[in-house]
């Protein structure tokens, strides 16, 4: 989960040839096992990737909401501190 102050740098990931070959083998194995065409298996895989993408959007929205809440709490603390400081200055000047 993301944090307000200590966010790790995002990693840039590259796809290597062996990962592509592995994916092809997996898809072929699924097609053989399920008796579906490779095109059907690829389409199902695409659907699953869309589902994953949607889940990531939801998760990111939750993180965003938490970050905004954290910023709101910080702003409330700043507002309270400034209010107390203003009162202290007024009382000191009287």
């Amino acid at each position: 989960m993301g944090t307000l102050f200590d966010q790790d740098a995002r990693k840039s990931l590259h796809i290597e040839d062996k990962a592509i070959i592995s994916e092809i083998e997996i898809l072929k194995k699924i097609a053989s096992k399920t008796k579906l065409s490779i095109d059907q298996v690829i389409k199902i895989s695409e659907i699953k990737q869309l589902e994953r993408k949607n889940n990531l959007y939801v998760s990111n929205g939750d993180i965003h909401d938490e970050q905004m809440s954290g910023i709101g709490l910080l702003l409330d603390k700043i507002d309270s501190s400034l209010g107390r400081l203003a009162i202290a200055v007024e009382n000191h000047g009287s």
Side-chain angles (χ1 to χ4, degrees), residues 23 27 38-54:
E23 187 67 21
L27 294 173
I38 193 71
D39 289 339
Q40 289 172 314
V41 173
I42 289 170
K43 190 64 178 171
I44 292 167
S45 178
E46 291 171 348
I47 291 168
K48 294 306 288 177
Q49 284 297 330
L50 286 173
E51 182 181 333
R52 179 177 179 271
K53 185 176 181 179
N54 287 339

Side-chain angles (χ1 to χ4, degrees), residues 42-92:
I42 289 170
K43 190 64 178 171
I44 292 167
S45 178
E46 291 171 348
I47 291 168
K48 294 306 288 177
Q49 284 297 330
L50 286 173
E51 182 181 333
R52 179 177 179 271
K53 185 176 181 179
N54 287 339
N55 290 339
L56 289 170
Y57 275 118
V58 170
S59 178
N60 188 54
D62 291 344
I63 292 168
H64 180 266
D65 292 347
E66 289 178 17
Q67 296 286 13
M68 293 305 290
S69 175
I71 290 170
L73 292 172
L74 288 173
L75 290 174
D76 282 344
K77 286 181 181 180
I78 291 169
D79 181 54
S80 295
S81 294
L82 288 175
R84 287 191 302 274
L85 186 60
I87 291 170
V89 167
E90 287 176 8
N91 290 339
H92 184 69

